[in-house]
Amino acid sequence: MKFSELKEHLKSGKFFPVYILAGEDDGVVKLAKEQFIKLVDIPDFNVSYVSEGELFTSAEVLPLGSNLRLVFGATKQLNELDKYLANPNPSTVIILIGDAGKLKVSKGVEIVDCNRLDVGLLTKFIGLEAKKAGVSIDVDAAYLLIEYCTRFLTRIKSELDKLIGFCGNGKTIGVDAVKTIVAPDLEYKVFELADTIIKGNKERTMRMLDDMLNEGAGAAQKIFGLLYGHFRRLLFVSFGGDDAALAEKLGVKDYAVTVAKKQADKFSKSKLKRIVDKLHSVDYGIKSGKIKDRIALESFVMQI
């Protein structure tokens, strides 16, 4: 189940015995937890947060003054799940938070996808949050905020709060405010770096790379890993195919494939293949100790 489907599902009142909130975005996980508590509408004393070893004991407790209890735990207790599902307590809903691993979805278990949300949902969220705070936000500014924060909800909310404070009540948040207040994530900077490489602007590429490399220890290794992964994705999507199918194979959202296709179109397939081959060679050189990662990166961007 996608996170966007959770609200309507909970409104139906037909609950699974166990839900797993699985995904990389803590902000989406938090929203999912809030939806359970809000939409199920039960007293606080019927909501329990339990540690390892207490989950299924707590699940057997009957609710007070309600027909339902929520028990939150972690996916560390998955090894006991089959035993519980053989005879689940009908008045308890268990919500496990964490990686579902290789768990096979069985009767009574629903996995809620809490990975990064798509642009449409995030734009709606930003607009509603801005309205509640008494400000408005330009559509282009919302898109830029989403890109700068690489669709991570927790960071978007944090940066939006800063923008609201910066612009003041009754004002409109524009693109310039986002550029002034919000620092782009490294993942977004790598996307920009790849774009300058594509355009052949070596002077700007070197300036951008130098700024990124000076951000702290381990920056070169992170940048290289993201850059390598980015160009491999561009090569993969350059051969075409349905966005949804490609997204599933690559483990990303449809939007990421759409963006990658636009950037990949600026290259020939043979050019992308040469870049990926070069990155593979550089990767081997770094891992074998033949060249330092920073020198390797600088050499790579100058040769492309």
Side-chain angles (χ1 to χ4, degrees), residues 22 27 36 51 68 72 90-91 130 136 170 194 202 204 210 218 231 273 285 293:
F36 271 100
S51 58
L68 196 67
F72 288 90
S91 61
S136 58
K202 293 192 184 300
R204 184 166 185 264
D210 190 57
F231 274 106
K273 179 65 165 57
D293 46 16

Side-chain angles (χ1 to χ4, degrees), residues 179-207:
K179 289 181 178 179
T180 300
I181 299 298
V182 183
D185 283 351
L186 181 60
E187 188 177 331
Y188 178 79
K189 290 181 181 178
V190 167
F191 174 83
E192 284 194 312
L193 180 66
D195 202 49
T196 62
I197 291 172
I198 289 168
K199 292 173 180 175
N201 190 336
K202 293 192 184 300
E203 184 179 344
R204 184 166 185 264
T205 299
M206 289 305 295
R207 284 201 309 270

Side-chain angles (χ1 to χ4, degrees), residues 253-300:
K253 294 286 186 180
D254 294 5
Y255 173 74
V257 171
T258 303
V259 172
K261 278 186 174 180
K262 288 179 181 178
Q263 202 171 52
D265 285 343
K266 300 173 183 177
F267 271 130
S268 66
K269 293 182 180 65
S270 58
K271 177 72 170 178
L272 281 172
K273 179 65 165 57
R274 286 197 298 272
I275 290 174
V276 172
D277 286 345
K278 177 64 177 175
L279 284 164
H280 180 75
S281 176
V282 171
D283 184 47
Y284 176 77
I286 293 171
K287 289 177 178 176
S288 62
K290 292 180 179 179
I291 188 171
K292 296 292 185 182
D293 46 16
R294 178 167 184 144
I295 296 172
L297 265 173
E298 291 173 340
S299 175
F300 165 74

Side-chain angles (χ1 to χ4, degrees), residues 11 19 38 58 79 85 121 148 169 187 189 212 219 229 246 271 296:
K11 282 182 178 179
Y19 293 83
K38 182 179 179 180
S58 179
N79 58 329
L85 287 172
L121 283 172
Y148 271 18
N169 189 44
E187 188 177 331
K189 290 181 181 178
M212 293 165 69
L246 287 170
K271 177 72 170 178

Side-chain angles (χ1 to χ4, degrees), residues 102-119:
K102 297 181 180 179
L103 176 74
K104 293 181 180 179
V105 180
S106 57
K107 187 177 179 180
V109 179
E110 181 67 20
I111 298 176
V112 181
D113 180 358
C114 293
N115 285 305
R116 286 180 272 191
L117 300 176
D118 62 43
V119 175

